[in-house]
Amino acid sequence: MQEKLEFLIALATEKHFGRAAQVCGVSQPNLSAAIKQLESTLGVPLVDRGARFIGFTAEGERVLDWARRIVGDYKAMRADVETMKQGLTGTLRLVVVPTALPVVQRLTATVWSMHPGIKITIASHSSTEILSRLENLEAEAGITYLDNEPLGNVDEVPLYHERYHLITAADGPLGVRDSVTWEEAATLPLCLLNTTMQNRRIIDRAFAEAGVHAEPMLESNSIVVLTNHLRTGMWSTIMPRIMADSLLLPPTIRAIPIVAPELSTLIGLVVARRDPQPPLTAALIADARRLAPELATAA
């Protein structure tokens, strides 16, 4: 039964029978047959099928919720037993919004120094993708925004507030200012993260609140791309101060606080709600709580 539930979760993630089968290491006919057996056992259709995967039925969505809980609890039980046998081990998969990447090493360094038997992987994703990966058991934890868009069934550990600055050439039109308004920032040639990123949606809302519309001249989902364009002195951007400080930009580039409105957003650790938490996740939560006061001061 557990294997069939894992097939269902993989199908929800991949939205394609062939890719789900590949992820699960089985043939597509075997995966399809297993899901049909699950439908037969439960006596309801779970998947809308045509020539390709269409989606889940209402019953399928409900079963999918149970599948995530059951498989998640089973994996947590296995991890708990392994910890009893040989201490805290395993792989901690973290998914992080791009603007929090400069901070994540403080958390991973704390975790690894206290639990050197574990491995850590880090991937950068949008806030929406982070919640999806937690839901589909593809990650143990995420670092994302806590106070802007619905998070769903997760536990949260607040870490710090992002405070937004204009990053611009020191010899540019606003480069000598001690602060600038959102309205003034909108007049510059901007390079910004694209609209799939919650950071960009926050910035767009701030411009709207200031009564202006900013049309960036360059968009990307990569902080590296934005940074390289900043170094030319031709473009400006808006990003949290904690990120700007980490980029080691040349002295020809300045970070200037943006006011009217002065904006901050809460960043924190999120994990799928489970009681008890798997040992590795529980250790991460405890370490994040210890680190939070230091991060809040640094930001």
Side-chain angles (χ1 to χ4, degrees):
M1 176 64 77
Q2 179 209 338
E3 183 181 62
K4 295 182 178 68
L5 296 178
E6 290 182 346
F7 290 171
L8 201 68
I9 294 170
L11 184 58
T13 303
E14 300 298 329
K15 296 178 173 54
H16 186 278
F17 282 99
R19 290 196 299 270
Q22 188 174 15
V23 166
C24 295
V26 298
S27 69
Q28 182 173 333
N30 283 346
L31 181 135
S32 297
I35 291 176
K36 286 180 180 178
Q37 289 171 11
L38 186 58
E39 291 174 320
S40 177
T41 299
L42 297 173
V44 292
L46 303 178
V47 179
D48 282 330
R49 295 176 177 85
R52 55 185 175 81
F53 173 77
I54 298 172
F56 291 96
T57 63
E59 295 87 351
E61 292 287 355
R62 182 66 60 86
V63 171
L64 181 60
D65 287 340
W66 278 104
R68 288 165 173 153
R69 272 183 269 176
I70 292 166
V71 172
D73 286 347
Y74 175 76
K75 290 183 175 181
M77 178 192 70
R78 291 289 302 270
D80 202 7
V81 172
E82 286 299 314
T83 299
M84 293 176 68
K85 290 194 296 184
Q86 53 185 329
L88 198 61
T89 60
T91 299
L92 177 63
R93 298 168 297 175
L94 281 174
V95 281
V96 184
V97 290
T99 57
L101 287 173
V103 175
V104 72
Q105 82 275 4
R106 302 191 194 186
L107 179 58
T108 53
T110 299
V111 171
W112 197 80
S113 66
M114 300 186 71
H115 315 289
I118 69 171
K119 294 181 179 179
I120 301 172
T121 68
I122 300 169
S124 176
H125 290 284
S126 71
S127 57
T128 302
E129 291 169 333
I130 286 172
L131 296 178
S132 174
R133 286 176 177 269
L134 290 178
E135 185 177 56
N136 289 319
L137 311 179
E138 297 175 280
E140 280 66 51
I143 299 178
T144 188
Y145 299 90
L146 300 187
D147 56 359
N148 283 281
E149 296 177 358
L151 293 175
N153 193 31
V154 298
D155 289 328
E156 309 168 11
V157 180
L159 294 176
Y160 66 94
H161 280 87
E162 286 188 342
R163 293 177 173 84
Y164 295 91
H165 284 52
L166 173 70
I167 316 301
T168 193
D171 60 357
L174 303 175
V176 298
R177 299 281 296 277
D178 293 327
S179 66
V180 300
T181 67
W182 288 90
E183 185 176 4
E184 290 169 327
T187 66
L188 299 177
L190 295 174
C191 55
L192 299 175
L193 290 172
N194 62 34
T195 54
T196 65
M197 300 294 174
Q198 191 172 163
N199 168 267
R200 172 62 183 283
R201 298 194 290 274
I202 291 168
I203 288 171
D204 284 348
R205 285 198 295 271
F207 278 127
E209 187 176 334
V212 295
H213 173 73
E215 189 67 44
M217 307 307 293
L218 184 149
E219 296 177 287
S220 175
N221 64 354
S222 167
I223 293 293
V224 173
V225 170
L226 300 189
T227 303
N228 287 339
H229 283 80
L230 281 176
R231 292 181 188 277
T232 69
M234 298 171 61
W235 285 273
S236 302
T237 195
I238 295 167
M239 63 175 57
R241 183 181 68 82
I242 199 167
M243 163 152 274
D245 290 347
S246 76
L247 297 177
L248 301 177
L249 293 166
T252 54
I253 305 293
R254 288 196 63 212
I256 305 171
I258 307 178
V259 297
E262 188 170 339
L263 181 67
S264 71
T265 53
L266 183 60
I267 297 289
L269 181 79
V270 292
V271 300
R273 186 165 294 152
R274 188 163 286 112
D275 187 17
Q277 287 286 354
L280 195 52
T281 307
L284 176 67
I285 292 170
D287 292 341
R289 285 175 175 155
R290 281 191 289 268
L291 186 62
E294 178 187 328
L295 290 178
T297 301

